[in-house]
Amino acid sequence: MIRICATEDVPKGTAISADVDGTQLAIVHGEDDQFYAVYDECSHAAVALSEGEIEGCTLECWLHGSRFDLRTGEPTGLPATEPVPVYPVEVRDGEIYVSLTPSNGVTR
């Protein structure tokens, strides 16, 4: 697991972008108060998901409105039809840690 940042750096309902050993991640503090990590690029267009809107456990791409489930990476709204990689997250002592092995088996 790789330390990303402090939990306080990602307020609830927001996302930040993080470059982790050359992999761009969107670190998301979901409305369910959980932290998620997804590959920071929409599977429909090469756009940063970290700039999108968070609603519940979904992240919406700002360009075309594709939505992705933060837990599974599966698209929940068109035009995207391919899932994005999601990564395991651990919170320890107020710090966010992420593994770069996708938990949903999707590679970029």
Side-chain angles (χ1 to χ4, degrees), residues 14-57:
T14 68
I16 63 166
S17 181
D19 184 319
V20 183
D21 294 339
T23 300
Q24 284 299 127
L25 300 180
I27 308 299
V28 182
H29 191 168
E31 292 179 348
D32 62 354
D33 216 22
Q34 298 296 310
F35 289 90
Y36 300 95
V38 300
Y39 186 61
D40 195 12
E41 184 176 283
C42 180
S43 63
H44 171 254
V47 174
L49 289 174
S50 59
E51 297 174 14
E53 294 292 317
I54 296 144
E55 184 177 315
C57 289

Side-chain angles (χ1 to χ4, degrees), residues 82-98:
E82 297 294 320
V84 293
V86 294
Y87 302 88
V89 174
E90 281 184 21
V91 175
R92 287 184 253 153
D93 299 323
E95 304 286 325
I96 299 170
Y97 293 83
V98 174

Side-chain angles (χ1 to χ4, degrees), residues 68-107:
F68 298 92
D69 188 309
L70 292 166
R71 299 162 295 192
T72 65
E74 291 296 321
T76 60
L78 294 173
T81 57
E82 297 294 320
V84 293
V86 294
Y87 302 88
V89 174
E90 281 184 21
V91 175
R92 287 184 253 153
D93 299 323
E95 304 286 325
I96 299 170
Y97 293 83
V98 174
S99 166
L100 289 182
T101 303
S103 58
N104 63 347
V106 175
T107 56

